[in-house]
Amino acid sequence: VDRRTVHSRSGAILSVYPSSHVAHSYHNRPGRRVIPLIQVRVIKDVFSNEQKQQIIGRLTDAMVSIEGEAMRGVTWCVIEEVESGDWGIGGKALTAADVHALARGKAA
């Protein structure tokens, strides 16, 4: 599957699947509309509900700027939270506290 993946400093992973993948996975029936799917994985308790709403809004805006305004109403954005400590980077489990320390400019 052709997808774009971006890793952020906060430990979030963003995967953007092309419309054709989502259409095949979710609506593989004649006459169904093709839809874009944006998946974001973050460590639980790193982002507030308000910040998650901002992520959804801004990523939807970015996708619409590429695919066109007509796609806004069918653009899916899913934020999945991974339990603190269940995310590993470089062989080390990363916790919400580690991410908050990184955001303050301190080593995790």
Side-chain angles (χ1 to χ4, degrees), residues 65-88:
S65 74
I66 295 165
E67 293 198 328
E69 188 60 40
M71 296 302 285
R72 183 175 300 278
V74 295
T75 297
W76 294 11
C77 186
V78 178
I79 296 180
E80 300 174 82
E81 292 184 306
V82 176
E83 290 295 325
S84 182
D86 287 353
W87 191 299

Side-chain angles (χ1 to χ4, degrees), residues 17-60:
Y17 291 87
S19 298
S20 59
H21 169 72
V22 177
H24 178 74
S25 300
Y26 295 101
H27 298 288
N28 196 11
R29 296 185 207 151
R32 290 288 184 143
R33 182 180 253 187
V34 175
I35 57 169
L37 169 63
I38 304 165
Q39 290 181 307
V40 181
R41 291 189 186 107
V42 299
I43 296 174
K44 189 174 182 178
D45 298 325
V46 170
F47 296 98
S48 68
N49 286 337
E50 182 181 312
Q51 288 172 315
K52 288 185 274 186
Q53 289 300 311
Q54 290 175 2
I55 291 168
I56 291 168
R58 290 180 185 181
L59 292 176
T60 299

